[in-house]
Amino acid sequence: EVFSFVGIHNPQNIFIKPGCFTQPIFINNHYKNVQVSISHCDDIGAAVAFPEELLMGIDIERVDTNKVDAMESQMTANEIDLVKSFPDPYITMLTLLWTAKEALSKVLKTGLMTPFHVFEIDMLQKKHNSIALTFQNFGQYQGISFNLGNYINTIVYPKNTEMDLDIQYLKKKFMYLL
């Protein structure tokens, strides 16, 4: 299912190797312009495959009160105010911002080598099953975040792209895996 984007149904027919910045590189003899973004937390993994011209990033993190101080240290004052103004639990929203920043860092291929304040989130908007977000310094990107059990998953993609994501389907598949 993960590789249906490129028509590969047997994961043994693909290989993902690390690039020069440890970014994942998709290797397959038949598909040259496919990229992939991957993330993992605990025993959970997430991936998104996309055409080379449509840059995307993904991140998944468990909501964990033990990480509040670390996450707060990477947020701007405006982001803390934004999180506090949202009706969802504070730790959930901090985790959401963290995943959005990490997903954007994967799009830009910088990973955690760039200070997270550069990836400042300037807007959060509650949708039916998700939260949409935009970035202060990277107006060409947007993100969609949603919970999977006690995990927050965020996908960042170009702003002028329409994302057709079946979050209910993903939640059902995720609960099946637990």
Side-chain angles (χ1 to χ4, degrees):
E1 270 183 299
V2 172
F3 302 104
S4 62
F5 168 72
V6 291
I8 298 173
H9 301 290
N10 182 353
Q12 293 178 347
N13 293 334
I14 63 105
F15 180 70
I16 297 175
K17 71 174 193 172
C20 64
F21 296 116
T22 69
Q23 78 275 20
I25 306 294
F26 179 88
I27 305 296
N28 181 276
N29 293 335
H30 302 291
Y31 301 95
K32 304 279 188 221
N33 296 325
V34 173
Q35 293 194 17
V36 64
S37 180
I38 60 175
S39 183
H40 61 86
C41 181
D42 303 328
D43 294 334
I44 306 299
V48 60
F50 50 93
E52 187 174 30
E53 65 272 8
L54 183 71
L55 300 175
M56 299 176 79
I58 192 168
D59 192 49
I60 189 166
E61 295 289 338
R62 181 172 36 88
V63 177
D64 184 351
T65 55
N66 294 323
K67 296 180 180 177
V68 169
D69 290 341
M71 287 188 286
E72 280 180 333
S73 74
Q74 300 303 311
M75 303 299 157
T76 66
N78 289 338
E79 288 172 320
I80 295 294
D81 290 343
L82 188 61
V83 165
K84 287 180 178 178
S85 72
F86 224 73
D88 291 23
Y90 181 72
I91 183 61
T92 300
M93 296 308 296
L94 272 180
T95 306
L96 185 148
L97 266 59
W98 179 275
T99 62
K101 290 177 175 217
E102 191 162 343
L104 178 61
S105 77
K106 292 174 182 181
V107 169
L108 302 173
K109 307 255 190 274
T110 65
L112 302 177
M113 296 182 289
T114 299
F116 262 26
H117 73 273
V118 173
F119 306 132
E120 182 175 3
I121 287 105
D122 66 355
M123 186 280 301
L124 297 171
Q125 182 181 10
K126 189 105 170 158
K127 301 284 185 175
H128 176 57
N129 291 331
S130 63
I131 296 176
L133 57 96
T134 58
F135 299 93
Q136 176 70 33
N137 300 313
F138 295 91
Q140 69 271 41
Y141 292 104
Q142 62 185 344
I144 184 167
S145 297
F146 50 94
N147 72 309
L148 294 171
N150 199 33
Y151 293 82
I152 302 294
N153 191 66
T154 300
I155 301 172
V156 171
Y157 55 98
K159 198 172 211 171
N160 61 356
T161 303
E162 197 170 310
M163 177 74 76
D164 184 18
L165 189 60
D166 189 344
I167 295 171
Q168 284 306 112
Y169 173 79
L170 292 173
K171 287 183 179 201
K172 286 179 189 174
K173 289 297 247 184
F174 180 80
M175 291 306 165
Y176 174 76
L177 295 173
L178 293 181

